């Protein structure tokens, strides 16, 4: 997997103060240390020639503010989307999140008309309500560990058929919440879905 991007480390102006952020932008003009799962996801999208913005929520890393149990964090996601919309005007956006980030990001992504696709990795259905997805018609990819201790796979499999729009579940068997030992399969699942679901629609 070859990564050809320019890297920009900076701070986003978030609603609770600055947010530590990192933008990967493809070097080719023709194709415009975080959590390991997030990093693998970013690598997979970067290899497809897609600009990738990662940021720490308020209170994490060097980001200002304090953890707000998913309420204020939604505004952090909106700040990230506002930044991407200004950097890449008119380009459909996608939100990908892991665990808590999936819960917050997918909720905002469902509501924001600039977002066309959603990715939820390791959705913590054991302790968190994802019923808001039943009002979300956007295409969604779920990547989940077969032994995820925060999201019983049976609950995930029961949820997805109740959701509108195109929904795809990729299960990585034999791994926990962090996909330990099989992160490469996370990347393959994202690549396969994106190539089929997103690139197919462009041609």
């Amino acid at each position: 997997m070859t990564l050809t991007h320019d890297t920009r480390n900076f701070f986003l102006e978030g609603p609770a103060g600055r947010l530590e952020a990192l933008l990967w932008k493809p070097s080719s003009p023709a194709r415009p240390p975080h959590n390991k799962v997030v990093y693998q996801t970013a690598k997979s999208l970067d290899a497809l020639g897609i600009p990738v913005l990662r940021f720490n929520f308020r209170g994490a890393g060097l980001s200002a503010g304090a953890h707000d149990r998913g309420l204020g964090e939604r505004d952090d996601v909106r700040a990230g989307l506002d930044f991407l919309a200004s950097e890449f005007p008119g380009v459909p956006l996608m939100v990908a999140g892991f665990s808590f980030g999936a819960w917050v990001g997918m909720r905002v992504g469902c509501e924001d008309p600039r977002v066309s696709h959603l990715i939820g990795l390791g959705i913590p259905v054991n302790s968190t309500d994802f019923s808001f997805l039943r009002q979300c018609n956007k295409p969604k990819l779920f990547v989940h560990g077969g032994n995820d201790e925060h999201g019983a796979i049976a609950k995930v499999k029961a949820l997805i058929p109740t959701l509108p729009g195109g929904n795809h579940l990729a299960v990585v068997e034999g791994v926990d919440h962090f996909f330990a030992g099989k992160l490469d399969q996370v990347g393959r699942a994202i690549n396969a879905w994106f190539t089929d679901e997103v690139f197919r629609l462009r041609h």
Side-chain angles (χ1 to χ4, degrees):
M1 184 179 292
T2 302
L3 308 182
T4 56
H5 58 247
D6 299 318
T7 300
R8 179 174 157 199
N9 293 280
F10 64 106
F11 288 98
L12 281 172
E13 287 305 317
R18 65 185 196 174
L19 299 173
E20 179 186 18
L22 185 150
L23 176 68
W24 282 353
K25 185 176 179 181
S27 298
S28 169
R31 297 178 66 193
H34 284 63
N35 174 288
K36 288 183 180 179
V37 180
V38 175
Y39 181 70
Q40 180 64 50
T41 302
K43 280 204 313 181
S44 301
L45 296 173
D46 178 62
L48 291 166
I50 299 163
V52 178
L53 174 70
R54 288 181 284 152
F55 68 89
N56 281 324
F57 283 121
R58 57 185 63 194
L62 298 178
S63 292
H67 180 66
D68 195 28
R69 297 180 297 173
L71 296 176
E73 284 83 358
R74 294 179 205 170
D75 289 330
D76 296 345
V77 174
R78 293 183 186 104
L81 291 173
D82 289 345
F83 169 80
L84 286 172
S86 68
E87 286 282 309
F88 308 99
V91 176
L93 305 178
M94 177 172 62
V95 171
F98 169 63
S99 197
F100 171 81
W103 178 55
V104 176
M106 294 183 91
R107 182 182 287 274
V108 174
C110 284
E111 299 168 351
D112 195 312
R114 298 171 297 185
V115 175
S116 62
H117 292 74
L118 303 164
I119 298 177
L121 303 115
I123 60 172
V125 292
N126 290 2
S127 59
T128 311
D129 182 9
F130 278 83
S131 62
F132 66 87
L133 290 174
R134 295 195 175 106
Q135 280 72 53
C136 186
N137 287 304
K138 297 176 182 181
K140 297 174 281 297
L141 169 67
F142 299 89
V143 185
H144 211 80
N147 300 331
D148 191 318
E149 64 273 27
H150 298 292
I153 191 62
K155 290 184 179 181
V156 176
K157 288 181 175 178
L159 170 69
I160 291 175
T162 70
L163 308 180
N167 302 284
H168 181 74
L169 171 63
V171 178
V172 181
E173 298 292 353
V175 296
D176 63 6
H177 187 58
F178 292 95
F179 303 94
K182 295 186 179 179
L183 274 172
D184 60 317
Q185 292 191 31
V186 174
R188 285 203 291 270
I190 292 170
N191 190 300
W193 176 77
F194 204 90
T195 300
D196 181 61
E197 174 63 38
V198 183
F199 286 163
R200 176 180 58 82
L201 297 178
R202 295 181 179 176
H203 299 289

